[in-house]
Amino acid sequence: MRSNEVKNRTNVDDIKSLRLITAIKTPYLPDGRFDLEAYDALVNMQIEDGAEGVIVGGTTGEGQLMSWDEHIMLIGHTVNCFGGSIKVIGNTGSNSTREAIHATEQGFAVGMHAALHINPYYGKTSLEGLVSHFNSVLPMGPTIIYNVPSRTGQDIPPRVIHTVAQSSNLAGIKECIGHDRVEQYTSNDIVVWSGNDDQCHDSRWDYRATGVISVTSNLVPRLMRELMFGGKNPALNAKLMPLMEWLFVEPNPIGLNTALAQLGVVRPVFRLPYVPLPLAKRVEFVNIVKELGRENFIGEKDVQVLDDDDFILVGRY
Amino acid sequence: MRSNEVKNRTNVDDIKSLRLITAIKTPYLPDGRFDLEAYDALVNMQIEDGAEGVIVGGTTGEGQLMSWDEHIMLIGHTVNCFGGSIKVIGNTGSNSTREAIHATEQGFAVGMHAALHINPYYGKTSLEGLVSHFNSVLPMGPTIIYNVPSRTGQDIPPRVIHTVAQSSNLAGIKECIGHDRVEQYTSNDIVVWSGNDDQCHDSRWDYRATGVISVTSNLVPRLMRELMFGGKNPALNAKLMPLMEWLFVEPNPIGLNTALAQLGVVRPVFRLPYVPLPLAKRVEFVNIVKELGRENFIGEKDVQVLDDDDFILVGRY
Amino acid sequence: MRSNEVKNRTNVDDIKSLRLITAIKTPYLPDGRFDLEAYDALVNMQIEDGAEGVIVGGTTGEGQLMSWDEHIMLIGHTVNCFGGSIKVIGNTGSNSTREAIHATEQGFAVGMHAALHINPYYGKTSLEGLVSHFNSVLPMGPTIIYNVPSRTGQDIPPRVIHTVAQSSNLAGIKECIGHDRVEQYTSNDIVVWSGNDDQCHDSRWDYRATGVISVTSNLVPRLMRELMFGGKNPALNAKLMPLMEWLFVEPNPIGLNTALAQLGVVRPVFRLPYVPLPLAKRVEFVNIVKELGRENFIGEKDVQVLDDDDFILVGRY
Amino acid sequence: MRSNEVKNRTNVDDIKSLRLITAIKTPYLPDGRFDLEAYDALVNMQIEDGAEGVIVGGTTGEGQLMSWDEHIMLIGHTVNCFGGSIKVIGNTGSNSTREAIHATEQGFAVGMHAALHINPYYGKTSLEGLVSHFNSVLPMGPTIIYNVPSRTGQDIPPRVIHTVAQSSNLAGIKECIGHDRVEQYTSNDIVVWSGNDDQCHDSRWDYRATGVISVTSNLVPRLMRELMFGGKNPALNAKLMPLMEWLFVEPNPIGLNTALAQLGVVRPVFRLPYVPLPLAKRVEFVNIVKELGRENFIGEKDVQVLDDDDFILVGRY
């Protein structure tokens, strides 16, 4: 299954240096299929506003609600249209090693620059099982490992990371545990991206995280770029905090999906089990936008509250 | 997609009364495919030893490592061969509402008696999203909802259960949170099965749980039946405790898979990310079997330690 | 993947003796999913009117328009609901050997009594390839091989059949080539079912075919049973000829689909690329029904012409 | 599902002008998965030797033996690595309209320049059904329709082509029926590629076919380019005839697969139902290569006869 074409070879170091990676939203048509036109607009805005990479089909992009053929197609599409302008990191991880192997082979075959791998959520496994799982996919190409125990039910302990870091393909860790863990890695020369928008400023400037894999940057990419590139800036960080808190009032990407629909950049279509934030929260978002300045958000339409009836929820698609 | 055939109609009350349900192991051939011959033997032993139901493709049966066609096939196979002797409960839940809808329709179409549904693990959702998710599948047939925050990263709170309990198809809850939660439901006439083998005796006899959905009963079905049917029996419960603790020293079904291989009733084949318990633990299991009595365990071969080399781990299958 | 359960073992001789096998129609809901309620009614009418077997997902049942999970589900459903009353023969053939192997394993696992296998249509292969293809699936259970060059583009020559007939699982041949070929097989003690309704009477009574795998019996099962069981009956055969000719004026199952909708026993829903027969033909069908007698057809509603607008054509489902 | 990105827009005229399109072989690893390294080498040799387009996953490339996710992945891979140097035409046709719609959407999303569409083989349909089928996919992008009754069992008559030619996306027809049909189209300004290597010279120079979609060009791309670009050349055509006849002694791609393995450019791995040509034919091929000149064939190793044992046939993969 291997390809040696130059176009399929990405240097791990090119991944290690990325500071702002956006976990990009997947927008839908009213029948639940991908809205590629809207998706392309979102990616273009990320490129214009300075994001250096996108996670395709992450939890934010609802990879968990995609069939694998949709997922790989979206990776291939993103590489084909935007791969020269932005790094494409496919979330080809799975709680099934078989699926992770298959998807990662396919993702690299269609040209993704790196893979994002999660530990086996829900099913979980032993530490030895974790190592076997990651070692099954690491040889395929540059890899970011994602640790988010609040979703997976299981922390990936540093000794597992240190073991798999023997592979030169390990680009780094997307870490959600907090500053101490970040520092533990960065002091051992392991690259870290913060997985928490509200911690990323401090992780970056106080604990030597390389950058962030961000949800918030879907909405305000330039501000997030400033936060990661512009030097320590607690004022900007504080200014963004209300938005970040609003975004995570319910499990992500519920807030993000609602916000993007309100900004008029995606259709108000939700794949279940996600449902929009309630009216009161939507009103709050309008105020947050005004506070931060509409011009800092993507899109050009006025931000709207939207009625409950404006949203389409799809279970079969 | 509906069928009105009598054979496809199971009374919810028939599900509500089950006391011993085994989350049945899925055994594999060396190439990773299902070993139906071994599976049939396992189910037959459950029937002979008094289990009243099986969960097909639960986390114990590694539904998370199956393709959906394998999963539905195994449900259909179990119904076809054993549906007259034991209740077949298909784990057709998913963190994707689409998948849960599709699998549950198919599971009922091939004759399963009830569905087991999990809340959307990993992706998670809001409480309103939980209700939408469960309400998408409840109309299809008798349903058990499974709450296991240590796997899903999210507790299903009682108010969600009380909302979806308006459906007459809700048979009850497989609950892993502990006695207080069990009592909270049983005092409101909601059927509960303990999802923790080490708590099931007390849940059953002190907190009015109906029974257990058990991992341990894969190994010692008669003893587990006695525990659920024979009246309060702290002595037996205490006697079983070392086995139960051993089984869960690593995420289930790692212990169970190791034990069944050591008992000679399944081939020592693991689908990754699961790997066998280490040698020291395998020695421990032999001692536990001797302590409890080989005759209380399923199978007729001598229990063996097995070498590391005896195990086959498969990533592609 | 093997199962030894008695319920999964069907005697080849039980298949060899079947005289009337119906290639059963798959009816759809308006969104293109299976209409199991209508399907169950169709199967029940077949059982009541004397059909001894059904082909599930044949070309008539539009297996070529099913995903494999739908296909296996329908086989499992049919076995579960009707397997005690009628033989269930799953069309688990494919032009891909991998698919044929996988589907046939799954079909037997969910309890089908026999498999129908086609030679690799469209892709085609050499005679040696044909033998390899059939030998990959014959060990799994009772098998009928289907020869229909007008669909596959390639005749299965008798020497291929004689080679694979070394397997005791070969129940016989569904043959569409004509009487000479039928006789060539029956004179060598190879069981044959006619695959052409308009030839089946003569094949049965003059050339020792065992019976028919019929499309027409979807509509008039009792008459087709009479034709196969009641002794030579050229009058009945002649009487049925206009119906048979009408049914095949366009590639099957276009005529059948149209007819069943007109009889009110299935919803007028077509999965593309099938479209209904034009109005003039639908008028003709009403006359054919009156000629033969409405009471000889299944269902109890009046036969209708139906307007073009009554039909729903679905491309995405 | 639409994308407006420039990279996803190919001009139909760019497709209409292609003279040499190779129906590229898909090579396999010993376990049956794609051998992308070998595939990339094959495509590179096509580019170097002057082919202007490749059909990915055609009947020659054994699309009929791929899962759809493999198929789309291979299209995406080809676009990503070679899309700047050669036109990538994905065979996203199917006998199921649903599959054709889904695959074609995905194929264009991952950047293919055109789709190849077959009429519904095996299942077949009415003329009106043919039109509905093609009209379901034509709006998606540049399209070549493929007529090969010897495989499909059904000729696409000119009136169907004339009807669907109302779509500006129809690039032309790959026609296998012969010179009269070719002329019928070209005299009506419908672009035609010959689907028969042994007729393509005459179709091109005597009947105004634009070019060929070729199997033989997998082996001798420069000679085939000369045949299509270099003006009338009956001598060259005659010289190639023994190779062409040898290639089609059994259903394609049996000959091609055997030849490429003998040339040492692909591993001798066959996905069933294809099996290699017998020894005598392999000896013949060595002689044909010597006759035509090894230097005219792709690859640099000596041509070999290969033993029966050198070949690996895979049924599960």
Side-chain angles (χ1 to χ4, degrees):
Chain A
M1 179 90 179
R2 291 183 45 229
S3 161
N4 280 337
E5 282 303 298
V6 168
K7 285 205 67 171
N8 274 354
R9 270 183 262 146
T10 304
N11 201 311
V12 179
D13 291 333
D14 291 344
I15 303 301
K16 285 183 177 174
S17 66
L18 304 172
R19 296 217 183 283
L20 178 58
I21 301 169
T22 297
I24 193 87
K25 155 77 179 164
T26 309
Y28 305 116
L29 296 172
D31 67 359
R33 284 180 301 141
F34 293 167
D35 180 350
L36 286 186
E37 217 170 313
Y39 176 82
D40 293 346
L42 293 179
V43 177
N44 271 324
M45 289 185 279
Q46 289 298 319
I47 293 169
E48 283 166 19
D49 287 357
E52 303 165 284
V54 283
I55 305 286
V56 178
T59 44
T60 302
E62 301 179 0
Q64 63 275 19
L65 306 186
M66 295 176 185
S67 58
W68 275 112
D69 68 312
E70 285 181 316
H71 202 135
I72 300 299
M73 179 280 280
L74 192 62
I75 293 171
H77 169 77
T78 311
V79 170
N80 178 49
C81 291
F82 309 104
S85 309
I86 199 163
K87 292 297 174 209
V88 179
I89 302 158
N91 171 28
T92 55
S94 172
N95 60 351
S96 155
T97 308
R98 167 168 67 169
E99 286 188 18
I101 289 172
H102 187 67
T104 306
E105 275 189 347
Q106 293 205 332
F108 280 118
V110 298
M112 70 180 182
H113 303 107
L116 180 71
H117 278 289
I118 191 78
N119 51 315
Y121 48 85
Y122 184 52
K124 303 198 287 192
T125 187
S126 60
L127 298 194
E128 203 188 332
L130 287 178
V131 171
S132 293
H133 180 79
F134 292 129
N135 281 343
S136 297
V137 290
L138 269 161
M140 297 179 191
T143 301
I144 299 173
I145 290 181
Y146 180 20
N147 188 36
V148 58
S150 66
R151 286 188 181 278
T152 62
Q154 184 176 31
D155 181 41
I156 309 175
R159 63 183 148 143
V160 166
I161 296 300
H162 288 298
T163 301
V164 300
Q166 289 163 17
S167 165
S168 61
N169 276 332
L170 185 70
I173 313 301
K174 177 185 178 189
E175 183 57 77
C176 299
I177 282 292
H179 299 312
D180 288 355
R181 183 68 67 81
V182 171
E183 188 161 42
Q184 188 177 354
Y185 286 135
T186 57
S187 63
N188 280 283
D189 292 326
I190 290 177
V191 168
V192 175
W193 293 271
S194 175
N196 297 324
D197 283 333
D198 59 352
Q199 296 185 328
C200 73
H201 173 268
D202 296 354
S203 284
R204 168 86 180 93
W205 301 111
D206 296 339
Y207 304 96
R208 282 168 293 164
T210 291
V212 65
I213 296 181
S214 177
V215 175
T216 307
S217 58
N218 276 281
L219 299 171
V220 288
R222 263 168 307 162
L223 298 186
M224 290 304 291
R225 185 176 166 101
E226 179 62 23
L227 206 64
M228 289 296 102
F229 279 84
K232 212 161 177 170
N233 190 342
L236 176 58
N237 195 36
K239 201 175 138 194
L240 284 165
M241 211 49 72
L243 173 62
M244 290 171 175
E245 279 163 9
W246 182 90
L247 269 175
F248 294 93
V249 68
E250 292 288 0
N252 177 56
I254 288 176
L256 178 66
N257 291 348
T258 307
L260 289 166
Q262 291 189 248
L263 290 169
V265 293
V266 306
R267 287 177 169 86
V269 179
F270 280 64
R271 283 186 173 184
L272 289 174
Y274 297 117
V275 297
L277 286 181
L279 185 62
K281 284 286 162 192
R282 302 200 296 266
V283 171
E284 247 181 78
F285 180 67
V286 171
N287 294 330
I288 288 170
V289 172
K290 287 179 182 158
E291 195 68 33
L292 269 172
R294 176 66 184 90
E295 69 283 3
N296 286 311
F297 286 77
I298 63 166
E300 301 185 350
K301 296 186 186 159
D302 281 346
V303 60
Q304 288 188 286
V305 172
L306 294 179
D307 291 331
D308 284 353
D309 289 351
D310 291 330
F311 291 94
I312 297 172
L313 313 186
V314 290
R316 299 183 194 275
Y317 48 90
Chain B
M1 179 90 180
R2 292 183 44 228
S3 162
N4 281 336
E5 282 304 298
V6 169
K7 285 205 69 170
N8 274 355
R9 270 182 261 149
T10 304
N11 201 309
V12 180
D13 291 334
D14 291 345
I15 303 300
K16 286 183 177 174
S17 65
L18 303 172
R19 295 216 183 283
L20 178 59
I21 299 169
T22 296
I24 194 85
K25 154 77 179 165
T26 308
Y28 305 116
L29 296 171
D31 67 359
R33 285 179 301 141
F34 293 167
D35 181 350
L36 286 187
E37 216 170 315
Y39 176 82
D40 293 345
L42 292 179
V43 178
N44 271 323
M45 290 185 279
Q46 290 297 319
I47 293 169
E48 282 167 20
D49 288 357
E52 302 164 286
V54 284
I55 304 286
V56 177
T59 45
T60 302
E62 300 178 1
Q64 63 274 22
L65 307 185
M66 296 176 185
S67 57
W68 274 113
D69 69 312
E70 285 182 316
H71 202 136
I72 300 300
M73 179 280 279
L74 193 62
I75 292 171
H77 169 78
T78 311
V79 170
N80 178 48
C81 290
F82 309 105
S85 308
I86 199 164
K87 292 295 175 211
V88 179
I89 302 158
N91 173 29
T92 55
S94 173
N95 60 351
S96 155
T97 307
R98 166 168 70 170
E99 287 189 17
I101 289 172
H102 186 67
T104 306
E105 274 190 346
Q106 293 205 332
F108 281 118
V110 299
M112 70 180 182
H113 303 107
L116 181 70
H117 278 289
I118 192 77
N119 51 315
Y121 48 86
Y122 185 51
K124 303 198 286 192
T125 189
S126 60
L127 298 194
E128 201 188 334
L130 287 179
V131 170
S132 293
H133 181 79
F134 292 129
N135 280 345
S136 298
V137 290
L138 269 162
M140 298 181 191
T143 301
I144 298 174
I145 290 181
Y146 180 19
N147 188 35
V148 58
S150 65
R151 286 189 180 278
T152 60
Q154 185 177 28
D155 181 41
I156 310 173
R159 63 183 150 143
V160 165
I161 296 300
H162 288 298
T163 303
V164 299
Q166 289 162 16
S167 164
S168 60
N169 276 333
L170 185 70
I173 312 302
K174 177 185 178 188
E175 184 56 78
C176 298
I177 282 291
H179 298 313
D180 288 355
R181 182 69 65 83
V182 171
E183 190 161 40
Q184 189 177 353
Y185 286 135
T186 57
S187 62
N188 280 284
D189 292 328
I190 290 178
V191 168
V192 175
W193 292 272
S194 174
N196 298 324
D197 282 334
D198 60 352
Q199 296 186 328
C200 73
H201 173 269
D202 296 354
S203 285
R204 167 87 181 93
W205 301 112
D206 296 339
Y207 303 96
R208 281 169 295 161
T210 292
V212 65
I213 296 181
S214 177
V215 175
T216 308
S217 60
N218 276 281
L219 298 171
V220 289
R222 263 168 306 164
L223 298 185
M224 289 304 291
R225 185 176 167 100
E226 179 61 24
L227 207 64
M228 288 297 102
F229 279 86
K232 211 162 178 169
N233 191 341
L236 176 57
N237 195 36
K239 202 174 137 194
L240 285 165
M241 212 47 75
L243 173 62
M244 290 169 175
E245 280 163 10
W246 182 91
L247 269 175
F248 294 93
V249 69
E250 292 288 0
N252 177 54
I254 289 176
L256 178 66
N257 290 349
T258 308
L260 289 167
Q262 291 189 249
L263 289 170
V265 293
V266 306
R267 287 177 169 87
V269 179
F270 280 63
R271 284 184 173 185
L272 288 172
Y274 297 117
V275 296
L277 287 181
L279 186 62
K281 284 288 163 189
R282 302 200 296 264
V283 170
E284 248 180 78
F285 179 66
V286 171
N287 294 330
I288 287 170
V289 172
K290 287 181 179 153
E291 196 67 33
L292 269 173
R294 175 67 184 88
E295 70 282 3
N296 285 312
F297 286 77
I298 63 165
E300 299 185 349
K301 294 186 187 158
D302 283 346
V303 60
Q304 287 189 290
V305 172
L306 295 179
D307 291 331
D308 283 354
D309 290 351
D310 291 330
F311 291 95
I312 297 171
L313 313 186
V314 291
R316 298 184 196 274
Y317 46 92
Chain C
M1 178 89 180
R2 293 183 44 227
S3 161
N4 279 337
E5 283 302 299
V6 168
K7 287 204 66 171
N8 274 355
R9 270 182 262 147
T10 304
N11 201 311
V12 179
D13 290 334
D14 291 346
I15 303 300
K16 285 183 176 172
S17 65
L18 304 172
R19 295 218 184 283
L20 177 59
I21 300 169
T22 297
I24 194 87
K25 155 76 179 165
T26 308
Y28 305 116
L29 296 171
D31 67 359
R33 284 180 301 142
F34 293 167
D35 180 351
L36 286 187
E37 216 170 314
Y39 176 82
D40 293 344
L42 293 179
V43 178
N44 270 323
M45 290 185 279
Q46 290 298 319
I47 293 169
E48 282 166 21
D49 287 357
E52 302 165 285
V54 282
I55 305 285
V56 177
T59 43
T60 302
E62 300 178 1
Q64 63 275 20
L65 305 187
M66 295 177 185
S67 58
W68 274 113
D69 68 311
E70 283 182 317
H71 202 136
I72 300 299
M73 179 281 280
L74 193 61
I75 293 172
H77 169 77
T78 312
V79 169
N80 177 49
C81 291
F82 309 105
S85 308
I86 199 163
K87 292 296 175 209
V88 179
I89 301 158
N91 172 27
T92 56
S94 172
N95 60 351
S96 156
T97 307
R98 166 168 68 169
E99 287 188 17
I101 288 173
H102 186 67
T104 306
E105 274 189 347
Q106 293 205 331
F108 280 118
V110 298
M112 70 180 183
H113 302 107
L116 181 71
H117 279 290
I118 192 80
N119 51 315
Y121 48 85
Y122 184 52
K124 302 198 287 193
T125 187
S126 61
L127 299 194
E128 201 188 333
L130 288 179
V131 171
S132 294
H133 180 79
F134 292 129
N135 281 344
S136 297
V137 290
L138 269 162
M140 297 180 191
T143 301
I144 298 172
I145 290 180
Y146 180 19
N147 188 36
V148 58
S150 66
R151 286 189 181 275
T152 62
Q154 184 176 31
D155 181 40
I156 310 173
R159 61 184 150 142
V160 165
I161 296 300
H162 288 298
T163 302
V164 300
Q166 288 162 17
S167 165
S168 61
N169 276 332
L170 185 70
I173 313 301
K174 176 184 178 188
E175 184 56 78
C176 299
I177 283 293
H179 299 312
D180 288 354
R181 183 68 65 83
V182 171
E183 188 161 42
Q184 189 177 354
Y185 286 135
T186 57
S187 63
N188 280 283
D189 292 327
I190 290 177
V191 167
V192 175
W193 293 272
S194 174
N196 298 324
D197 282 334
D198 61 352
Q199 296 185 327
C200 73
H201 173 268
D202 295 356
S203 284
R204 167 87 180 93
W205 301 111
D206 295 340
Y207 303 97
R208 282 167 293 162
T210 291
V212 66
I213 296 181
S214 177
V215 174
T216 307
S217 59
N218 276 282
L219 299 170
V220 288
R222 262 167 308 163
L223 298 186
M224 289 304 290
R225 184 176 167 102
E226 179 61 23
L227 207 64
M228 288 298 102
F229 279 86
K232 211 162 177 169
N233 190 341
L236 175 58
N237 195 36
K239 201 175 137 193
L240 283 165
M241 212 48 74
L243 173 61
M244 291 170 175
E245 279 163 9
W246 181 90
L247 269 175
F248 295 93
V249 68
E250 291 289 359
N252 178 55
I254 288 176
L256 178 65
N257 291 347
T258 308
L260 289 167
Q262 291 189 247
L263 290 169
V265 293
V266 307
R267 288 177 167 86
V269 179
F270 280 64
R271 283 185 173 184
L272 289 173
Y274 297 117
V275 296
L277 287 181
L279 185 62
K281 282 287 162 191
R282 301 200 296 266
V283 171
E284 246 182 79
F285 179 66
V286 170
N287 294 331
I288 288 171
V289 172
K290 287 180 181 155
E291 195 68 33
L292 268 173
R294 175 66 184 90
E295 70 283 3
N296 285 313
F297 286 77
I298 63 164
E300 299 185 350
K301 296 185 186 159
D302 281 347
V303 61
Q304 288 188 289
V305 172
L306 294 178
D307 290 332
D308 283 354
D309 289 350
D310 292 330
F311 291 95
I312 297 172
L313 314 186
V314 290
R316 298 183 195 273
Y317 47 90
Chain D
M1 178 92 179
R2 292 181 46 227
S3 161
N4 280 337
E5 283 303 300
V6 168
K7 287 206 67 169
N8 274 355
R9 270 182 261 148
T10 304
N11 201 310
V12 179
D13 291 334
D14 291 344
I15 303 301
K16 285 184 176 172
S17 66
L18 304 173
R19 296 219 182 282
L20 178 58
I21 300 169
T22 297
I24 194 85
K25 154 76 179 165
T26 309
Y28 305 115
L29 296 171
D31 67 359
R33 284 180 300 142
F34 293 166
D35 182 350
L36 287 186
E37 217 169 315
Y39 176 82
D40 292 346
L42 293 178
V43 178
N44 270 323
M45 290 185 280
Q46 290 297 319
I47 293 169
E48 282 165 22
D49 287 357
E52 303 164 285
V54 283
I55 304 286
V56 178
T59 45
T60 301
E62 300 178 1
Q64 64 275 20
L65 306 187
M66 295 176 184
S67 58
W68 275 113
D69 68 312
E70 285 182 317
H71 203 135
I72 300 299
M73 180 279 280
L74 193 62
I75 293 171
H77 169 78
T78 311
V79 170
N80 178 48
C81 292
F82 309 105
S85 309
I86 199 164
K87 293 295 176 209
V88 179
I89 302 158
N91 171 28
T92 55
S94 172
N95 59 352
S96 155
T97 307
R98 165 168 69 169
E99 288 189 17
I101 289 173
H102 187 67
T104 306
E105 275 190 345
Q106 294 206 330
F108 281 117
V110 299
M112 69 180 185
H113 303 106
L116 180 71
H117 279 288
I118 191 80
N119 52 315
Y121 48 86
Y122 184 51
K124 302 198 286 192
T125 187
S126 60
L127 298 194
E128 201 189 331
L130 287 179
V131 172
S132 293
H133 180 80
F134 291 129
N135 281 344
S136 299
V137 289
L138 269 161
M140 298 182 192
T143 301
I144 299 172
I145 290 180
Y146 180 19
N147 188 36
V148 58
S150 66
R151 286 190 181 276
T152 61
Q154 184 177 29
D155 181 40
I156 310 174
R159 61 181 150 144
V160 165
I161 296 300
H162 289 297
T163 302
V164 299
Q166 290 162 16
S167 164
S168 62
N169 276 331
L170 185 71
I173 313 300
K174 177 184 178 188
E175 184 56 78
C176 299
I177 281 292
H179 298 310
D180 288 354
R181 182 69 64 85
V182 171
E183 189 160 41
Q184 188 176 354
Y185 286 134
T186 57
S187 62
N188 280 283
D189 293 326
I190 290 178
V191 168
V192 175
W193 293 272
S194 174
N196 297 324
D197 283 333
D198 60 351
Q199 297 186 327
C200 73
H201 173 267
D202 295 355
S203 285
R204 168 87 181 92
W205 301 111
D206 295 339
Y207 304 96
R208 282 168 293 162
T210 291
V212 65
I213 295 182
S214 176
V215 175
T216 307
S217 59
N218 276 282
L219 299 170
V220 290
R222 264 168 307 164
L223 298 186
M224 290 304 292
R225 184 174 166 102
E226 179 62 22
L227 207 63
M228 289 297 102
F229 280 84
K232 211 161 177 170
N233 191 343
L236 176 57
N237 195 36
K239 201 174 139 196
L240 285 165
M241 213 48 74
L243 173 61
M244 291 170 174
E245 279 163 9
W246 181 91
L247 270 175
F248 294 93
V249 68
E250 291 288 0
N252 178 54
I254 288 176
L256 177 66
N257 291 347
T258 307
L260 289 167
Q262 291 189 249
L263 290 169
V265 293
V266 306
R267 288 178 168 86
V269 179
F270 281 64
R271 284 184 173 186
L272 288 174
Y274 297 117
V275 297
L277 286 181
L279 186 61
K281 283 287 164 192
R282 302 198 296 264
V283 170
E284 247 181 78
F285 179 68
V286 171
N287 293 332
I288 288 170
V289 172
K290 287 179 180 155
E291 195 66 33
L292 269 171
R294 176 66 185 88
E295 69 283 3
N296 286 312
F297 286 77
I298 64 164
E300 299 186 349
K301 295 186 185 158
D302 281 346
V303 61
Q304 287 189 289
V305 172
L306 294 178
D307 290 330
D308 285 354
D309 290 351
D310 292 330
F311 291 95
I312 296 172
L313 314 185
V314 291
R316 298 183 195 275
Y317 48 90

